[in-house]
Amino acid sequence: MAKRIDVSGLHVYYGDFLAVENVSMTIEPRSVTAFIGSSGCGKSTFLRTLNRMHEVTPGARVEGKVLLDDQDIYSPDVDPVEVRREVGMVFQRPNPFPTMSIYDNVIAGAKLNNRRLRKSEADDIVERSLRGANLWEEVKDRLDRPGAGLSGGQQQRLCIARAIAVEPSVLLMDEPCSALDPISTLAIEDLIAQLKENYTIVIVTHNMQQAARVSDVTAFFNLAGTGKPGKLIEMGETNKIFTKPEKKETENYITGRFG
Amino acid sequence: MSATKLSAPEQTVPPRPTPSLRGRTLPKYLPPALLGGSAVVCAAALYLLDRWNPAVWAILAAVLYTAAVTVLSAVVENRRKAVDRLVTSVVYVCFTVAMVPLVSLLWTVLSRGLVRLDGYFLSVSMNGVTPSMDAGGVYHAIVGTLLMTLMAAVISVPIGLMTAVYLVEYGRGRLRQAITFFVDVMTGIPSIVAGLFVVALWILLFGPGHTNGAAGAIALSVLMIPVVVRSCEEMLRLVPNELREASYALGVPKWLTVLKVVLPTALSGLTTGVMLALARVIGETAPLILTAGSSAVSINANLFEGQMMSLPVFIYSQVRMGGAINYERAWAGALTLIIIVMLLFLAARLVSHFFAPKTR
């Protein structure tokens, strides 16, 4: 199930512009890794390279290696579509498919891929995924209603259910709570704590308390300067990063004395 | 960075008195009363001068009202409100002016078309009817218009939609720019040129003297494709990128994402776009005269054999005959065409309504 991610010497480019420079890190399975850092420092960009989503942007490319267990996801014979089936993603803004019901949204991964599911199988997946996303009790009586009719927090949990319904081994979350209220945020954080028993979770967040609450390991990214590429400054156990960071930059950032 | 002093600076200026938030306003009933007043005054003036003319009366009343309300507002209220009232009046006048031709057109077509529009007119052709006979109808033209427009749609919608998908989802760089440019150029092609193009094509393929419905349909599709491309492109661009990314993140390949996420999400807009394109070509006359002929009088449901009448060409040829009864037929034909277009739009509205993404 959960897989290890090994990144070595990764550079990310948009055209000629180097956006993220020389990142190497290991992300352990069954753990939550948080990426923190100021806006525009490349943490989301880097996150998207972990399932090759950055390729959706024209001109984006990478140099370096990303190993998922032992397979390099950037070797030429790897199909990005297959990578994304292994490494799921939850986005900043909840984005359920507006044309689909709650039920269809959850099994969208199978439906959109034209995979035939028996009714009982589909029902199982829907219930298991919605339970996994802590949404089952709230929506079990209106599974045929449009997914866009749920509240923001429910929509985001629906998106998480949709992501775990395809049983990925890694779940990437790009600021999953930044559009949500504190109560929905709490629900998602609880969910992350449960999900880490089965998945490798990587979460980008602007909220340092959130990083401290949910993650085992924290990585701090920063820009070398205006117009310069983003860099991984420091990575370590969350406790340590928030109490005794090794680098001055990290300490300035987490204590709010930036610049 | 030096420490900032947070204490407030010494107060030297006396605190500004709170300005009154109230002001004098014109009473609510005044503008409508003014409008009525100007209408009555202008009517009376024209009547007394014995120059009664409804158009002149409307213009004078509008000008008088605008001037009166602006001056009154400037005197009683303030400058900003006076400008507001002036611009509001001008906007209403412009709206009314824009509506005049539309209402007048609908009224004329209705009043003149209804004279002859009945079950008989809709269900018989002009076969064996001499121009001045009190008989005949548009059935053959309705059949022709529907068949040719349908065939044009069958040709144009797939081509146009796929071009739009290419431009939005796949196209990059030079080729995309070139296609966009040529689509724009095609939008501006005069319709008669599209007709001439098909005439030339038909002579090349089948030799001279072949006019049939298929030629008309192809001429129409030349006109229709760019409109379909343009409107579908706009609709596809409205689909949020987040939905495409959500689909990719589930391991769905690009073509399935386009087919099952992008197109369904845009479906209601695409339908409207296609209907607008249909409405654009259903009233085309010139290319059909050249390609499908203008002398068919009998019912011809075969697109590939013989001349085919259509409603616009029917109207044109009846008007050219010039008798009183021909004018009646032309007006009734025009009314039939307008009704068909309205039915199409109604259908499009229903489709958009039922396929639009729902939130409840």
Side-chain angles (χ1 to χ4, degrees), chain B residues 191 359-360:
Chain B
S191 58
T359 50
R360 303 254 139 247

Side-chain angles (χ1 to χ4, degrees), chain B residues 36-344:
Chain B
S38 355
V40 171
V41 167
C42 291
L46 285 170
Y47 195 76
L48 288 179
L49 292 171
D50 210 13
R51 292 267 171 90
W52 173 250
N53 178 328
V56 174
W57 168 70
I59 293 168
L60 282 182
V63 171
L64 184 61
Y65 165 75
T66 310
V69 82
T70 311
V71 169
L72 256 181
S73 172
V75 172
V76 177
E77 300 177 330
N78 54 30
R79 208 182 121 81
R80 180 176 60 79
K81 285 193 175 165
V83 172
D84 178 37
R85 289 196 190 270
L86 173 67
V87 176
T88 309
S89 315
V90 169
V91 167
Y92 273 106
V93 168
C94 289
F95 165 73
T96 316
V97 169
M99 289 304 287
V100 167
L102 184 65
V103 172
S104 153
L105 182 146
L106 276 179
W107 172 248
T108 316
V109 176
L110 265 177
S111 59
R112 304 213 180 169
L114 281 174
V115 176
R116 209 152 243 285
L117 190 77
D118 50 21
Y120 172 78
F121 184 74
L122 289 176
S123 58
V124 299
S125 72
M126 292 293 287
N127 201 4
V129 179
T130 56
S132 54
M133 227 161 102
D134 185 11
V138 280
Y139 184 68
H140 62 311
I142 295 178
V143 168
T145 283
L146 291 183
L147 281 177
M148 284 191 282
T149 317
L150 181 72
M151 182 174 168
V154 166
I155 297 170
S156 322
V157 172
I159 295 180
L161 187 57
M162 286 191 221
T163 309
V165 166
Y166 172 80
L167 289 178
V168 176
E169 304 289 335
Y170 294 92
R172 299 262 173 276
R174 284 278 165 80
L175 183 57
R176 197 184 74 90
Q177 285 173 357
I179 292 177
T180 310
F181 175 75
F182 282 114
V183 166
D184 284 350
V185 171
M186 269 177 83
T187 317
I189 287 183
S191 58
I192 191 141
V193 176
L196 285 172
F197 161 73
V198 174
V199 169
L201 183 72
W202 246 232
I203 289 178
L204 215 66
L205 293 175
F206 310 111
H210 285 270
T211 43
N212 55 27
I218 295 200
L220 292 185
S221 65
V222 169
L223 295 168
M224 195 173 163
I225 288 173
V227 185
V228 174
V229 173
R230 265 321 200 177
S231 50
C232 290
E233 193 189 346
E234 295 303 322
M235 292 305 151
L236 293 178
R237 282 196 200 289
L238 286 181
V239 175
N241 243 332
E242 296 158 11
L243 295 182
R244 298 186 180 90
E245 295 197 338
S247 176
Y248 296 146
L250 291 169
V252 180
K254 186 162 187 171
W255 70 278
L256 278 172
T257 302
V258 172
L259 197 66
K260 296 183 127 186
V261 174
V262 178
L263 290 179
T265 307
L267 185 63
S268 70
L270 296 177
T271 323
T272 314
V274 168
M275 285 299 165
L276 283 174
L278 270 180
R280 155 97 167 76
V281 299
I282 205 169
E284 281 300 343
T285 320
L288 292 182
I289 293 175
L290 292 178
T291 52
S294 60
S295 51
V297 289
S298 59
I299 299 159
N300 175 13
N302 185 351
L303 280 163
F304 301 96
E305 192 59 59
Q307 295 209 349
M308 203 173 220
M309 186 46 79
S310 58
L311 283 166
V313 178
F314 175 86
I315 297 165
Y316 168 77
S317 49
Q318 289 299 325
V319 169
R320 276 204 30 182
M321 288 171 193
I325 194 123
N326 305 113
Y327 280 119
E328 277 181 28
R329 285 198 199 110
W331 282 112
L335 183 56
T336 315
L337 186 57
I338 290 180
I339 291 172
I340 290 179
V341 172
M342 283 188 165
L343 287 177
L344 275 178

Side-chain angles (χ1 to χ4, degrees), chain A residues 48 84-85 95 111 114 149, chain B residues 242 245 248 251 253 260 359:
Chain A
R48 289 163 71 92
R84 291 179 199 138
R85 284 178 194 167
N95 51 4
K111 270 194 91 159
N114 282 333
Chain B
E242 296 158 11
E245 295 197 338
Y248 296 146
K260 296 183 127 186
T359 50

Side-chain angles (χ1 to χ4, degrees), chain A residues 6 21 44 66 98 193 231:
Chain A
D6 243 310
E21 189 179 22
S44 286
V66 177
K231 272 181 162 169

